[in-house]
Amino acid sequence: MSTSEKPRPHETEESRPYWRGAERGALMIQRCAHCGKLRHYPRLVCDNCHSLESDWVEASRRGTLHSWTVAHHAFHPGFAQDVPYVLATIDLEEGVRALGILDAPADGKLAPGAAVTGRFERRGDGVSVLHFFLARQGPRLVKGDDQC
Amino acid sequence: MSLSGKAAITGIGETDYVRGSTKSAFRLQVEASLKAIEDAGLTPKDIDGIIPIGITGAPAEEFVTNFGIGDLRYSAVTPLGGASGIAAVQSAAAAIAAGICNHVLIPSGRNVSAGARAGVRIHQMPQFHLVTEYEYPLGAIAPAQLYAPMARRHMELYGTRSRQFAEVAVAMREHAILHGNAVMKKPITIEDHQSSRMIADPFRLLDCSLESDGGAALVVSAAERAGDMRQAKVVVAGIAEGHPDSPSSITQRAEMTRLGIAKAAPRAFAMAGVTPADIQVAEIYDCFTYIVICQLEDMGFCGKGEGGAFVENGRLKLGGALPTNTHGGLLSQAHMLGMNHIVELVRQLRGQGGATQVEGARLGLATGYGDLGDGAIAIMQRV
Ligand SMILES: [Zn+2]
């Protein structure tokens, strides 16, 4: 069991509000206290106005599928039991992106623009990580031939 | 002041590329360096600048101590992952053009069999700290998993297909087998690619580059001295590095099908005074097949979204319109952080390409790609 532990986040001063929010199921996004620009992932300075002051807002957890990968090979022993799993890049309604685990069949048909809803799920090791679920089949941006 | 034509690659050296080398990374770096210095007609004590490559690169001091260099005038590091080698050539050219030093050694070498595999070190690298904090715990562990969404997005937007990725893999393998100094020696077909196991969809095993051991090194000198040196004169005609938007996180990048080289390439082509149509041979960084396709677009060889069709019908093969990775690249020769691409380009332009020589090649380019999208491009010319 000791070899199959998943990696844990290394919290920093900047990321602590995100992980505290995750524990209570809230997706917290950092906001510039001067110009109001949202930024994700959290960082020290606003890239718009260069203010060092920031606060936090709770995001809707609604968004659309931007891209994804299906992990078939476990590059870390902690995920050996999880493959295949889908890692999804999500355009959140708030205008920033999030990466989460998409709870959809690994061999299912996915398309950019599909509507998703997010939810934090507490793992066995107590870490709450972001999962997304397909809300309904969204429109396909461009018809792509990805059969092979 | 333009750097164009100011610096020349006067020495190249590389070891055999293998798996399971018993030599240390530093020994591989030293062996390649000594070959490059001899190739240039210099002695190790002539080196007065050093830019070590990669996280396995020994610090300049190690070379000073071992080579007995009395007056090292320039040292630097260029932390751009697989674009570090070309960024180092740019740094060397700038230092030489400014009169700081005369002969810059750029050594590289790694022994992954002894430990440092690419896939398990991202979380130890400071430039990846946002990935480490927010993505690694979700199971986004290896470069294949971080880059796959870029390829998937490209496929969905433009209809790019896995069979087109296979075209890249097959061309690289053919070249590696002809070249000889390559880890992979068995021919592959499109169907072999299509039936290779899925690693991180859409990347199959044969979309992924190799872990391998070896060393590669360059000597960069003032172009005006190169004419009196041992080898045919190959100058740096145009060179640039470029960093992508959101360099610390692909997830947050507005346009994830655009790499840093999209910013660098126009600068390098303008500096050299040439266009993609003039390029006779290309050594394009190929950690994954898709990355070749994306760079071809970003450099302007074709439009965005057209790269999949561009690589079809053997265009990248010897005898095709754009012979690419005449050494087999990272996919089939060795993963030498792209330093092997620069070595191969110089060899081609000297006419020393052997079985994979592109007939009459006088103008070519090499690219690098690294970390989460950093790019670099060097256009070189035999003069
Ligand atoms: Zn601001």
Side-chain angles (χ1 to χ4, degrees), chain B residues 318-364:
Chain B
L318 285 163
L322 186 67
T324 295
N325 293 358
T326 45
H327 54 331
L330 307 179
L331 286 166
S332 281
Q333 186 193 38
H335 198 316
M336 214 39 57
L337 292 164
M339 285 289 289
N340 47 331
H341 293 55
I342 310 172
V343 167
E344 176 66 13
L345 176 61
V346 173
R347 188 185 284 123
Q348 286 281 331
L349 297 178
R350 286 177 181 176
Q352 299 170 345
T356 63
Q357 178 67 48
V358 174
E359 185 80 22
R362 288 268 174 169
L363 183 76

Side-chain angles (χ1 to χ4, degrees), chain A residues 7 10-11 15 19 40-42 66-70 72-73 75 79 85 97 99 112 123 140 142 145-146 148, chain B residues 133-135 137-139 142 148-149 152-153 156-157 161-162 194 197-201 249 251-254:
Chain A
H10 300 276
E11 279 186 23
S15 70
W19 292 110
H40 196 57
Y41 303 122
H66 187 84
S67 194
W68 67 91
T69 181
V70 186
H72 288 268
H73 180 85
F75 286 94
F79 296 93
Y85 57 95
R97 294 227 187 94
L99 187 76
R123 301 194 310 214
R140 201 179 170 87
V142 172
D145 176 8
D146 59 356
C148 48
Chain B
E133 170 117 39
Y134 297 98
E135 303 186 356
L138 294 172
R152 171 51 63 187
R153 178 83 180 162
E156 296 294 325
L157 284 180
R161 291 175 296 119
S162 175
Q194 292 293 289
R197 76 187 167 92
M198 197 64 91
I199 301 296
D201 181 278
S249 163
T251 300
Q252 305 300 334
R253 186 169 303 155

Side-chain angles (χ1 to χ4, degrees), chain A residues 31-37 39 45-53:
Chain A
R31 178 174 63 185
C32 174
H34 182 248
C35 77
K37 182 175 178 181
R39 58 185 195 256
V45 183
C46 173
D47 71 348
N48 181 47
C49 75
H50 307 124
S51 167
L52 279 81
E53 304 302 317

Side-chain angles (χ1 to χ4, degrees), chain B residues 154 158 257-259 290 293-294 297-298 302-307:
Chain B
H154 198 277
Y158 305 116
T257 62
R258 190 170 186 265
L259 302 170
Y290 162 75
I293 290 171
C294 188
E297 296 171 353
D298 285 344
C302 57
K304 183 52 72 181
E306 298 170 0

